[in-house]
Amino acid sequence: MPIARYRRVVRLKYLRKGDVGILLGILLVVMLYFVWRAFPRSGQEAVLLEIKGPWQETISLPVDQIPADRESEWFIDGPAGGLDLVFLPGRGFSVRDAACPDRVCVNTGFINRAGQSIVCVPNETIIRLTGTDREGGAALDGVLR
């Protein structure tokens, strides 16, 4: 007796009118969201450079007050000897040198968008950029122009 082999037939379920309406509704909501994000909103915050050190008070400096055409450097004193914070035009803020043993803050690299930070635990220092723009994080070159 021959063994009959049956192939399983997969039938595609066709979309109904209600399914198409739901998909079009979702597509419309997604498109409206991207259009809403594309236009700038009024009352945008300025980007601030915040430095909190062992002295337990935060120093805030508006980024648009920093000269955008030349390098700027600050020394931040700390318990482990301090660190050198530098601003390079077109790149952002970075710790150039630190007296801490592990130098994680130096290896962090450049920060140039709101929400990014550099932390030096031995020097008890936090350096961060705060503020928002229509993209959720303001780029420095957009603020400095």
Side-chain angles (χ1 to χ4, degrees), residues 37-75:
R37 294 282 300 215
F39 291 104
R41 290 176 246 156
S42 61
Q44 294 177 351
E45 298 177 27
V47 177
L48 297 174
L49 173 66
E50 289 186 351
I51 303 171
K52 183 174 184 179
W55 54 87
Q56 296 303 320
E57 75 179 46
T58 303
I59 298 171
S60 295
L61 176 67
V63 173
D64 58 354
Q65 292 182 1
I66 298 171
D69 56 347
R70 68 175 192 264
E71 181 179 314
S72 300
E73 188 172 355
W74 301 270
F75 180 76

Side-chain angles (χ1 to χ4, degrees), residues 1-2 8 32 34 54 70 99:
M1 230 194 251
R8 191 175 201 169
L32 287 175
F34 284 112
R70 68 175 192 264

Side-chain angles (χ1 to χ4, degrees), residues 13-98:
K13 181 181 175 184
Y14 293 101
L15 295 175
R16 297 183 187 129
K17 289 181 183 180
D19 299 334
V20 173
I22 291 172
L23 289 175
L24 288 176
I26 292 171
L27 182 64
L28 178 67
V29 168
V30 169
M31 287 176 36
L32 287 175
Y33 172 75
F34 284 112
V35 168
W36 174 72
R37 294 282 300 215
F39 291 104
R41 290 176 246 156
S42 61
Q44 294 177 351
E45 298 177 27
V47 177
L48 297 174
L49 173 66
E50 289 186 351
I51 303 171
K52 183 174 184 179
W55 54 87
Q56 296 303 320
E57 75 179 46
T58 303
I59 298 171
S60 295
L61 176 67
V63 173
D64 58 354
Q65 292 182 1
I66 298 171
D69 56 347
R70 68 175 192 264
E71 181 179 314
S72 300
E73 188 172 355
W74 301 270
F75 180 76
I76 302 168
D77 195 19
L83 51 95
D84 290 323
L85 177 67
V86 65
F87 170 74
L88 297 176
R91 303 228 24 217
F93 295 93
S94 178
V95 174
R96 178 178 286 166
D97 190 29

Side-chain angles (χ1 to χ4, degrees), residues 124-137:
E124 301 173 12
T125 304
I126 299 171
I127 302 161
R128 75 175 155 224
L129 294 173
T130 61
T132 58
D133 72 349
R134 61 188 163 108
E135 297 171 359

